[in-house]
Amino acid sequence: MRPDLLTHTVQNNMPIRKAGKLQDFFADNNRFILVLLLPVVLFFLVLNALPTMWMVGMSFRDYSLISATKTAEFIGLDNFVYLLSSNSVWNSLSKTFTFVFFGVLIETVIGVLLGFLFWHSTEMTGRRLALTLLFSPMILAPIAAANYFKLMLSPNFGVINYIISLFNNGKPIEILSSVDYAFWACLFVDIWMWTPFMLLMTLAALGSVPKAELEAADVDRLTWPQKFKHIILPHGKFIMMLGILLRTIDSFKTMDLVWGMTTGGPGNSTELLGIGLYRVAFSSLNLGRASAYALITLLIAVAFTSIFLFILNRKNIEEGLSK
Amino acid sequence: MKKFVAVLLVTLMLFGVVVVSAESPLAGKTMTLSLLGIGGWKPSSLAQEMGQELFALYAKENLGYDVNVTFAESPFDSLFQKAATSLASESNEYNLIISDSQWLGALSEPGWIVPLNDVIAANPSLQVNWYSESASKAYMIYPDGSNNIWGLPQEADVLIMYVRSDYLTNPDERSAFAEKYGWELPTDGSNEAWEDIDFAKYAQICEFFTRPDEGIYGTTIQYSKIYDFLTGSLYPYFWSAGEEVWDAAARTVSGTLNTPKNAEMLALSKSMIQYCPPGAIDVDISGIVENYSTGKAVTAWQWAAQGADMVIDGVDTWGVILPGYRMEDGTVNRTSSLGGQPWVINAFNTEDEQQLVVDFLNWWYSYDTQIEFAKRGGSPLITEVLESEGFEDLQPWFTAYKYMMKDGNSKDFWHEPSYAELLAIQQEAWSAYMAGSDGSVETAQTVLDEIAALQDKVISK
């Protein structure tokens, strides 16, 4: 209840209570809103903004966990120069973009296809069970899924490799130890985990399509591609874009899944940005350079988000222009 | 005169009784000794196990106080972070830390751990006659060449080899091997039987026993990218060939690490992957235990400290010395990687906690405690213990352990505060080389050149 309402009387004959200082303070609606926002703002400042600012400052300094009492010397852009001239970082960037591109693309395609399969299929036998099973990978902890697949892919006792060996003259394939296969195995598990998310978003997008318009399209005998282009896509595309945006950001920061499966190896064939950053911070213990690494990663993530937000907001912009 | 002597004797006796029965400053108190060590690592867990079981009893009976020994743990690759972040906040959360020998510089430079020169001088029990001078220095001294003592050996360790004796003593296997290679397999696990085994002969043993169709492989060696696992199993090749990994005096890596001989050794190490069970380049310490204990590997390069996990019921095992490099004069030179961890004392302990830690260490280095440690699978470094009668019979791997711990038979990594960066550079590069399809010496040389250049940059900072 708003504080100014506290001073109202409920019966005509009752005297109006005199407002206290606190009530006077809250009488201003804007002030009240600010006070309500204060905990969130404080939370954001203490746990988000300040550490980020600290990280930005640290990225220009030479600071290692093993020289904790030494002065963190200001070294300008040295950390950035080192990172941007490092083959290892460019390799991680390349791997990450490949991982994001193929991961999100395949998850979206399969998710959309499955979404259409389950759309308007309330009569389908076993629909609920199928959807529950399909969604289950998404709710697993990535590290658990990683270990699960690591064991199944083991060339010594993994069930997947056992099946492979049946078709390969009894020889298993060293999938996670191979520079040729390890990356794609990690990508496969990511797709296995997150395709259900895109299925969920597709179902939400399709649910937002007005039934009346679809019925009208049926009456007008529109073909399926026409229905898709003129009715389904305009209504569903923003939810789908939101899904793709969320998956892109999430995929970009993948770390635990790949760490659990290969720890970035063999060699550096699965070393995504998150793993590279972890190594600089917690293997090399160079926190200055790790901060620069994190800042570069953050800027790329912000760029991604901006592009997607621009696309998402395009509808409003277009509507604004047409008015 | 007699009277004077009698009075003197009585006085001395009384003084002696007073001294002997002097109570510990902690008498009557209840203390908690908090240890931090390596998760899943027998010698670390033995410290807590023996502390809680035996030191608590000792403290109660001899020092007059109660003590509860707790143990926090972390895997090898994250233990330093756990210790350093706690110490950086000046916390006394961990009173006594099982460190790694390479960390002494990193922990002592910021003043996080107690310098031990005065502590040792004041406590005769800590003035130990160490079995290996080079090993004890690795665990205790920083910087190299100084007299600054920062650690005490919690357990010593060295890379040795575990061998399935049932395969090597099988008459059919022996005759088939002799027929194929023209020499006899070692007859037992003694040092003498293995002294002539060089890398070339060892490769023949591995080749002979590698039978993928039967699910058996010649060896299992750590090639994992995590922490120092690959480095630990690669250095014996370099050192045995008489090479070094850096010039500590000149503080340079280029010209020392990237020699043609080291490149040859790196390529040789990679070539051994063909004799390992599938998934070799991901194999870490636990992977070795798994490969060996499940019967996939006939030999295994593993730390002596893991002996208790390697020697299991139903598997006949010898603990033997590592193969070596045959020098031009025909002798076989072998230098293994030194493992093991030192104790370091938290500088932010309270006065009572410091006393407790010193009491614990005094107890830890007593002969009886160290013998008990050895019986339970730990690796002591005290000369009186290693030279005691029957020591080598306590564990099947102790003969090899004792031999490889001798001065000159094992070496430690760099003792540099920047060790973490140095290690990360070479672990990544060597892991990539091991995983790649090109195992040539030329490529190995390029890899070493790149590592040397990057490490020089780190060291020169």
Side-chain angles (χ1 to χ4, degrees):
Chain A
M1 181 183 282
R2 272 170 43 190
D4 54 337
L5 298 179
L6 293 174
T7 57
H8 287 189
T9 56
V10 288
Q11 290 177 14
N12 289 339
N13 295 335
M14 283 182 72
I16 294 173
R17 275 193 290 154
K18 197 176 176 182
K21 282 183 181 175
L22 194 62
Q23 286 158 341
D24 285 345
F25 181 80
F26 283 129
D28 182 342
N29 211 22
N30 288 338
R31 194 178 287 162
F32 180 62
I33 291 168
L34 278 176
V35 170
L36 284 181
L37 283 174
L38 195 62
V40 179
V41 172
L42 276 175
F43 186 85
F44 174 79
L45 281 174
V46 173
L47 295 177
N48 204 331
L50 282 177
T52 305
M53 286 160 65
W54 185 271
M55 181 193 77
V56 172
M58 189 71 81
S59 67
F60 298 103
R61 293 181 178 275
D62 179 16
Y63 184 79
S64 167
L65 192 60
I66 50 182
S67 56
T69 56
K70 289 182 185 169
T71 312
E73 188 190 346
F74 181 80
I75 52 169
L77 293 171
D78 281 8
N79 284 329
F80 293 92
V81 172
Y82 179 91
L83 290 170
L84 295 175
S85 57
S86 158
N87 288 339
S88 171
V89 174
W90 286 107
N91 171 69
S92 294
L93 265 172
S94 160
K95 297 277 179 207
T96 306
F97 280 115
T98 311
F99 191 85
V100 171
F101 177 77
F102 283 108
V104 176
L105 178 70
I106 297 170
E107 286 156 19
T108 305
V109 170
I110 300 175
V112 167
L113 290 175
L114 286 171
F116 276 107
L117 181 70
F118 284 101
W119 189 37
H120 290 167
S121 61
T122 46
E123 301 303 315
M124 184 196 282
T125 313
R127 179 179 190 269
R128 190 166 290 187
L129 178 66
L131 279 174
T132 307
L133 288 174
L134 272 171
F135 288 140
S136 58
M138 196 173 67
I139 57 171
L140 291 175
I143 195 72
N147 282 304
Y148 174 56
F149 272 91
K150 190 176 179 179
L151 291 173
M152 289 206 300
L153 290 166
S154 165
N156 292 313
F157 52 77
V159 65
I160 293 176
N161 241 315
Y162 171 73
I163 295 166
I164 289 172
S165 69
L166 295 178
F167 301 96
N168 193 36
N169 297 326
K171 289 178 185 167
I173 297 178
E174 297 190 36
I175 296 170
L176 295 181
S177 306
S178 158
V179 286
D180 298 323
Y181 303 135
F183 178 82
W184 301 106
C186 293
L187 186 65
F188 170 80
V189 179
D190 187 74
I191 291 166
W192 174 80
M193 274 198 83
W194 293 111
T195 296
F197 176 76
M198 291 312 295
L199 164 62
L200 193 68
M201 296 306 285
T202 307
L203 287 174
L206 293 174
S208 71
V209 179
K211 226 174 181 177
E213 288 186 29
L214 288 169
E215 285 166 0
D218 284 339
V219 169
D220 291 343
R221 297 191 175 179
L222 260 62
T223 60
W224 200 92
Q226 285 173 320
K227 269 201 279 187
F228 179 78
K229 184 181 174 187
H230 298 292
I231 300 171
I232 298 172
L233 197 60
H235 286 289
K237 70 178 179 184
F238 293 99
I239 293 178
M240 285 308 297
M241 284 303 292
L242 186 66
I244 293 171
L245 168 66
L246 292 174
R247 268 311 300 141
T248 304
I249 294 171
D250 208 35
S251 180
F252 185 72
K253 62 183 186 184
T254 299
M255 196 272 177
D256 38 7
L257 179 75
V258 179
W259 183 264
M261 288 180 74
T262 63
T263 58
N268 50 13
S269 60
T270 58
E271 188 150 312
L272 304 183
L273 276 179
I275 293 175
L277 173 53
Y278 176 87
R279 281 200 191 287
V280 175
F282 298 110
S283 291
S284 297
L285 306 171
N286 191 326
L287 300 188
R289 196 172 291 157
S291 299
Y293 206 139
L295 191 57
I296 292 170
T297 310
L298 178 67
L299 290 175
I300 296 170
V302 167
F304 265 132
T305 312
S306 303
I307 293 167
F308 279 107
L309 286 177
F310 173 77
I311 296 168
L312 277 173
N313 289 328
R314 204 172 55 180
K315 183 185 181 186
N316 297 336
I317 296 165
E318 283 168 358
E319 282 173 355
L321 289 173
S322 64
K323 278 180 186 173
Chain B
M1 185 61 188
K2 280 183 182 174
K3 193 177 177 184
F4 172 74
V5 171
V7 170
L8 184 66
L9 281 172
V10 169
T11 309
L12 284 172
M13 282 172 67
L14 282 173
F15 182 70
V17 168
V18 170
V19 168
V20 168
S21 64
E23 285 202 325
S24 161
L26 305 179
K29 293 184 179 177
T30 299
M31 300 293 297
T32 297
L33 175 62
S34 171
L35 306 177
L36 173 64
I38 303 158
W41 191 243
K42 182 85 172 174
S44 277
S45 58
L46 276 178
Q48 193 267 341
E49 185 185 308
M50 290 173 60
Q52 187 63 22
E53 190 183 322
L54 304 175
F55 175 66
L57 197 66
Y58 170 86
K60 178 88 175 166
E61 288 178 356
N62 297 281
L63 304 169
Y65 61 86
D66 292 308
V67 61
N68 180 36
V69 182
T70 63
F71 183 60
E73 59 190 332
S74 189
F76 263 112
D77 57 327
S78 56
L79 181 65
F80 182 84
Q81 299 156 33
K82 189 159 184 162
T85 46
S86 175
L87 292 169
S89 62
E90 304 192 358
S91 163
N92 60 347
E93 186 181 3
Y94 311 118
N95 308 129
L96 188 58
I97 297 165
I98 297 171
S99 158
D100 214 346
S101 53
Q102 304 97 298
W103 304 352
L104 292 182
L107 296 175
S108 63
E109 290 278 354
W112 292 340
I113 55 175
V114 175
L116 297 180
N117 295 65
D118 292 343
V119 177
I120 292 171
N123 291 275
S125 304
L126 304 183
Q127 293 160 21
V128 176
N129 179 20
W130 302 111
Y131 181 71
S132 161
E133 189 186 350
S134 58
S136 62
K137 280 184 176 173
Y139 299 127
M140 297 168 73
I141 302 287
Y142 175 79
D144 286 342
S146 74
N147 288 318
N148 303 331
I149 302 173
W150 297 96
L152 285 163
Q154 189 263 330
E155 67 115 9
D157 200 2
V158 67
L159 201 62
I160 60 169
M161 192 158 70
Y162 296 84
V163 179
R164 287 282 299 269
S165 58
D166 51 339
Y167 278 94
L168 270 76
T169 54
N170 183 310
D172 294 338
E173 300 284 9
R174 293 185 66 80
S175 58
F177 184 89
E179 194 176 323
K180 185 172 182 184
Y181 297 103
W183 59 278
E184 294 274 341
L185 283 167
T187 50
D188 55 47
S190 68
N191 297 337
E192 294 73 25
W194 287 85
E195 250 172 356
D196 194 51
I197 303 297
D198 58 10
F199 291 130
K201 284 188 169 181
Y202 179 60
Q204 289 178 343
I205 295 175
C206 295
E207 182 188 53
F208 179 74
F209 286 110
T210 298
R211 301 159 188 173
D213 294 344
E214 298 172 33
I216 302 166
Y217 296 83
T219 187
T220 178
I221 300 171
Q222 289 177 56
Y223 289 98
S224 169
K225 187 181 180 181
I226 296 171
Y227 190 50
D228 63 0
F229 297 161
L230 172 52
T231 295
S233 61
L234 185 55
Y235 275 174
Y237 289 96
F238 296 171
W239 285 328
S240 297
E243 297 293 302
E244 285 296 337
V245 294
W246 79 306
D247 184 339
R251 298 183 58 74
T252 55
V253 179
S254 290
T256 307
L257 177 73
N258 52 337
T259 61
K261 181 66 75 184
N262 274 348
E264 189 191 318
M265 291 294 108
L266 179 58
L268 174 63
S269 168
K270 182 177 164 62
S271 73
M272 296 301 289
I273 292 176
Q274 63 185 309
Y275 308 127
C276 295
I281 61 167
D282 291 328
V283 168
D284 54 13
I285 294 171
S286 60
I288 300 282
V289 174
E290 183 196 310
N291 281 339
Y292 187 77
S293 61
T294 55
K296 290 192 192 79
V298 173
T299 70
W301 287 29
Q302 180 65 291
W303 298 104
Q306 281 294 107
D309 291 327
M310 298 293 285
V311 180
I312 53 173
D313 290 341
V315 178
D316 299 324
T317 290
W318 294 331
V320 304
I321 55 179
L322 281 189
Y325 183 84
R326 194 170 298 276
M327 309 301 274
E328 284 182 3
D329 62 3
T331 59
V332 177
N333 184 47
R334 50 175 54 79
T335 308
S336 187
S337 290
L338 185 73
Q341 296 82 36
W343 298 110
V344 293
I345 304 176
N346 187 335
F348 307 107
N349 284 341
T350 63
E351 208 170 300
D352 279 358
E353 286 168 341
Q354 297 292 27
Q355 181 62 48
L356 174 63
V357 166
V358 171
D359 287 346
F360 178 83
L361 290 175
N362 278 324
W363 166 82
W364 181 258
Y365 289 110
S366 69
Y367 179 83
D368 290 343
T369 305
Q370 288 293 293
I371 285 287
E372 183 61 27
F373 183 51
K375 282 180 182 170
R376 296 185 186 209
S379 319
L381 192 63
I382 298 176
T383 305
E384 289 74 23
V385 175
L386 268 76
E387 299 286 11
S388 63
E389 198 179 330
F391 173 79
E392 292 175 34
D393 299 327
L394 288 178
Q395 305 289 356
W397 63 91
F398 270 1
T399 306
Y401 163 73
K402 194 174 160 183
Y403 179 95
M404 296 307 292
M405 281 307 300
K406 277 182 191 165
D407 275 327
N409 287 354
S410 56
K411 282 188 186 179
D412 200 13
F413 307 176
W414 343 259
H415 290 164
E416 284 287 303
S418 58
Y419 83 93
E421 281 192 81
L422 300 174
L423 188 61
I425 288 167
Q426 65 188 37
Q427 280 286 118
E428 184 176 338
W430 282 334
S431 171
Y433 174 71
M434 295 299 175
S437 55
D438 180 3
S440 68
V441 176
E442 291 74 26
T443 306
Q445 184 66 60
T446 309
V447 171
L448 291 179
D449 289 343
E450 285 172 4
I451 293 171
L454 288 171
Q455 289 186 335
D456 271 338
K457 272 188 195 171
V458 172
I459 289 171
S460 65
K461 271 204 299 188

